[in-house]
Amino acid sequence: GLFLAYVLDKANAVSFTTGATIGAVTGFLVSMGMNLTSYGTTHVYTTMTGVFVDVIAVTFMCAIVGGVIGAYYGRGRKVVIA
């Protein structure tokens, strides 16, 4: 939550769509890194199917959370295009 809020603040996400997009990409990259590390170093996952199912679930959750955070950040903010 806090990491995603920080990333969305730095990316200036001020709508549900931009927040969801950035949240999904961030969630995908973080969960791939964590799950592939777990797959390679432990016996938590016996097949890659579990890894990919978890990655899809985390990506979906991060997209929703990112969209909500982006919509919240968009309240009262002016979009600055530089």
Side-chain angles (χ1 to χ4, degrees):
L2 184 62
F3 173 69
L4 197 53
Y6 178 77
V7 168
L8 291 172
D9 184 46
K10 292 300 178 186
N12 198 24
V14 292
S15 70
F16 184 86
T17 306
T18 57
T21 303
I22 295 168
V25 169
T26 304
F28 176 78
L29 293 174
V30 169
S31 66
M32 278 295 283
M34 291 176 62
N35 283 319
L36 289 176
T37 300
S38 179
Y39 179 73
T41 60
T42 67
H43 298 289
V44 174
Y45 299 110
T46 56
T47 64
M48 287 297 288
T49 304
V51 172
F52 291 128
V53 168
D54 190 55
V55 167
I56 290 169
V58 170
T59 300
F60 183 71
M61 289 188 301
C62 285
I64 292 172
V65 171
V68 170
I69 293 171
Y72 180 78
Y73 281 171
R75 297 178 331 141
R77 270 196 183 177
K78 302 284 184 191
V79 177
V80 177
I81 300 174

